[in-house]
Structures are given as C-alpha cells and as structure tokens.
Amino acid sequence: MSSSSFLALKQITKRFDSHAVLYEFDLNIEDGEFFTILGPSGCGKTTVLRLIAGFEAPDEGKIVLDGTDISRLEAEKRPTNTVFQSYALFPHMTVFDNVAFGLKMAGVAKADIRSRVREALAVVQLTDFEQRKPHQLSGGQKQRVAIARAIVNQPKVLLLDESLSALDYKLRKQMQIELKRIQRQLGITFIYVTHDQEEALSMSDRVLVMNNGQPQQVGTPREIYESPRNLFVARFIGEINVFDATIIEARDDFQYLAQIHDKQWVIHANQRLEPGDKVHVLLRPEDLRIEYLEDANEADGMIGEVVESNYTGKTLDSVIRLDNGVTVQASEFFNEDDPDFAYKINQRVWVNWVHGWEHVIKADELS
Amino acid sequence: MTRISDPRAITGRLFKWLFIGLVFVYLYLPMAVLVTNSFNKSKYGHNWAGFSLKWYQELFDNNAMMQAFGHSLLVAALAATAATLIGTLMALAIHRYRFPLKSATSSLLFVLMMSPDIVLAITFLIIFIALGIQLGFWSLLIAHITFCLPFVVITVYAQMKSLDPNILEAAQDLGASEARIFRVIILPLMAPAVLAGWLLSFTLSLDDVIISSFVTGPGFEILPIRVFSMVKVGVSPEVNALATLLLVLSLTLVAVTTWLIKRQKNQ
C-alpha cells in the first residue's frame, strides 16, 4: 500500500490482559471514502475504531492521520469524532446543547456556535428539535442528534460504531441512505463498524472483512461479494455454496478441467493452477440454475432432490440435496414467463450454473 | 364486578384492611401520641388538658437545649458536607480510575458501614486519646465525617454505575478535558445522588448518640446527648415539642429531596 494514505494504522498490536486482540495490524484509508470494517463480534473491529478515536492506546505500532502521528494524542485532541451505538447523548442537555458541546469545548464564539449548530441539525434534518431533551426523542431522532453532534466539529474522520444496529429494520434502511447522503454532502471520511454484511455492502466504498483480529480482505463491496479471497469471507458475506474440486488439466485462458465429485467440469479461475491442485468452487445461491429433471439435457449439471422450498416474496429459495450427498442452496427470481413456478418437496431436479460465474479459490489458502 | 358478595371475599377484604390498619398503628401511633402531647397543656401524657404551645415556649427559652440543638445542626451540616465532598470523589475514583488497593478500598467501606456503632465509638476514642486530640467539636466532627462517608460513596457509586460509560467517552471525544467532564457531565448527572447522600449523612449525624457520647467532651454538647441525659430524670414535655419540630424538619427535607429528584427526572 502507498504510504500517502490519509489514515494509516501501521503494525498495530493491542493486548488486553496479555491477549493480543490485534497483532501487527495494517490498515490504509483514503480521504473522503466510506470505509466499513465488517466482522463477527469479538473480531477486534471495535478495538480498531477505539484506537483511531483514542479511547485505547496501541501497545505497538503507529497511527498516522493526514501526515501526523496521532498514536499518543489524547482522544479530546484528535480530529476525529464518534457516533456511539448507544447514541450516548447527554441526558441533562437539550438537543441544541448536545450538538453545541464540541464547539463550546473548542472555544468557538457564541454567535458562530448558534449558526453551526443550526447547520449541523439541518444536515440531519432535525431543525425544529433544538429545545427538546433526549428522552423526548425517538430512537431515529436520537441517532440524528448523535450524528449532528459528531459532525459539527468538522472532524477529519467520523467514526461510527454499529451506529444503526439499535434501530428497527425500516428505520435502519432509511438511515443507511441518510448516512450515505450526509457523507457525500460533507465529504468527510467515514469509518463504519458493523457485523451486518448487507449494511456494509450497501453503504461502503470499500469494506474490510476481519476475523480474529486479522484482516481477511479489503475491497469494494462487489469484489468482496463476487471474489472472496478465502472461505471465511465467502461464508460471512451472504449465503454461498462450496464445492470441493480437483484440477485435472489446464486449458487456455485460465480455463481448467476439474473434477467435482463424480463429474468433470470446465471452470474458470483467475489464478495459475496446476493439475492436482485442490480448489473450492464457490457459487452464490442466485447463480445456480435449476431445471425439472424431465426438461433437462443429459449432459447438464448434477441431479438432486428438493428438500425445502420457501417463498420470500422476491425470490424462491430452495434447498436441494444432491445425489452425491452435498446440500446446496438456490435462490431464483420469479420471471414473467412463469410467475407462479414452485417445486414440490422430493421433486427430482438438475442443478447447474452459468459457466464462468463460479469463483475459484485454492483450498490451501482457506482460513 | 358483581354485586353479589362472596362471604370469602368479604372476609378477605376485612383482613386486608385490618392488616393495613395494624401496620399503620404500629408505625405511626407512637409519633401521633408524641405530636399530640407536644400540644397538651398537661405535663402528663395520659390526660388531655387542652391545647397549648407552652412546651414550645419553654423549649425556646431553654438556652442549654437550644445551644445543643445549634451544635447538632452545625456538626450535621459540616459533617454531611465534608462526607459528601470526599465520598463523591471516592465514588468517582472507584468507578473511573484504576489505582492500587482499589478493591480493598471499596470493601473496607462496607466494613465501616456494617461495624456496630459501639465498636466504632471505642475505636475513635482510642485513636483520639492516642493522638492527643482533645474531645470536643473537632473529634466529634471527624468521627461523624467518617461514619457518614460509606453511605455517600455507596449512594453516589450506585448512580454512577447506571451511567452509560459511552457518555463520558463522548464528552472526551468532543474535546472535554477530565476536569470539564467532571464539572459539566458527571456532577449534573450525579446531583440527585449527591444530594441524597448529603441528606442521609445529615440525618445520620443529627441522631447519632452512641458514637457522639464517646467522642465529645463536656465543652461541646449536642442535642441527642442532651435529650438523653434529660430523660434520665423523667421525660419533660419540652422533649415532645423538640421531637415534633425535628419531625417536621425531616419531613420537609424528604419532601424537598423528592421534589428535586422528580423535577430533575422530568426535565
């Protein structure tokens, strides 16, 4: 990575009671991007955020923000602000005083405070609530106040710690769009921590997937979803079918002949593989194609039996047990030719996929 | 509800009221007798000789008694204030910082709170004698601060534990120094508990007899000891008047506290 990134964590090690939560951890974030750290709980993602905010000090390593080493700077002096999961509004202060808090601490003149608080509240669309107390606000409104309070100081980086997880589904969706809009409007770097992969994919410019204190993959949502680097990333981001395969021979242009269970397939991999290599062939449920056994050509796919089929509104999600014992999941969109297609339980089907849509990773790279 | 009454339900209701009535009689009859007698013209409590304020008059004319009352209020106010200041800072330290012997400090507070008064009284006496501190105002004040302290710490600490730690981090994140956080965030949020701690200390100090009788000297008499020595030679109705006044005082304090806490919550 280039050394000129806006925010860089360099070889950070952080221990709690001699247990290393992060070990020689590197992270580079660009100016103005919406960056999400995604991982299961306890993976160290919140620790990364707290290190950047200054609530924790690294045992080893450096944090450089915009050319300045901030590793030893106290939290109150860092040009970062945090939106907490619990909102952490000051309960004894009005919305106005909550938002004005950071400006008062910075010694901003009274007249400026008024206009800047108004501006921040306008950004989060909460203009008429200045004199309310936090307990008079709904969850979504508290969330907006917390955001206004954090952006009013014009931080270089805004840190959001699972900030939407306390909201209900509909409000969360709405706030995701709001956050994106606020981030575009202000141009501030956002670092968002979450365990919700859907949230991560829909909001971010780039995503870091973490597990056990180790970065697993950094990339755009599309890269993370379509080309996971290892099995952990593949399985953590959405549903996925994993077929174990062995390379038989190399064809040209990254095409390989591979043995998957009892059948040979031509697969596409964007890396060099040798005959004998063990690989995983990854397929998202929506990449699978299913046909009634009687409609299919002999040469197509694997045969199996529908064990479950659920209508979700947008898609028909099915679980199919293949004759070789493997269970796969398929998700099919309804199409206008056959709007009420469905499967009976125990129905015999062919399972296939659009060739070239598979993603192949080497088996020894898995975590 | 049906109008036809089940005899069992009637009995049940009867018992309920009887029980509540007994509880009230048990709790408040003694106080009612005392308050009534403070307005009784007769010197003896068992007959009513008419309404009179003469015992109040005598009480206010009794200089020794009024002086002891003044001493008591002074010591209670000073001890409560000092215990509240020290106790609030201790609660803050135990909650927010790490320091050596932290857990020992908080456990020892419980020991102090649970110790029988007589043990504390003897302990104080021995220490004051060993240190050569003359028994009187100062020895009394020090002892009262000490036994009030754990109550303040525990009251304030309980409230601090209910505070979202992210609130303090948020304040720090927005640029507040440690001193600023204490002044603008912690103190206002702790105010009800701090006030409750002060009032508790004030009451504890005001009605302490055992420890006070050990650690005060003849030069500095406080009310409970004065009353105690008076009743040895027969209960004077002045004491009834005094008790009534104290009752009114403490009820007022409780009412004010409740109102303050309620107002804070509604804000």
Side-chain angles (χ1 to χ4, degrees), chain A residues 302-322:
Chain A
M302 316 177 192
I303 302 171
E305 196 174 273
V306 175
V307 281
E308 211 173 311
S309 188
N310 297 318
Y311 172 78
T312 67
K314 265 188 282 189
T315 56
L316 185 68
D317 292 354
S318 311
V319 178
I320 296 151
R321 191 183 302 114
L322 300 176

Side-chain angles (χ1 to χ4, degrees), chain B residues 85-106:
Chain B
L85 283 175
I86 302 167
T88 303
L89 291 177
M90 266 182 91
L92 181 72
I94 292 170
H95 180 65
R96 201 157 153 68
Y97 305 107
R98 287 179 203 170
F99 54 90
L101 296 178
K102 175 172 158 162
S103 58
T105 311
S106 43

Side-chain angles (χ1 to χ4, degrees), chain A residues 160-178:
Chain A
L160 301 108
D161 184 9
E162 309 233 2
S163 300
L164 303 184
S165 60
L167 302 175
D168 63 51
Y169 180 77
K170 229 177 157 180
L171 204 51
R172 201 160 68 228
K173 284 271 160 205
Q174 193 188 328
M175 282 308 293
Q176 285 174 13
I177 296 167
E178 282 282 286

Side-chain angles (χ1 to χ4, degrees), chain B residues 190-208:
Chain B
M190 291 304 113
V194 172
L195 184 68
W198 189 90
L199 286 167
L200 193 60
S201 303
F202 185 81
T203 324
L204 283 170
S205 165
L206 202 61
D207 76 3
D208 176 73

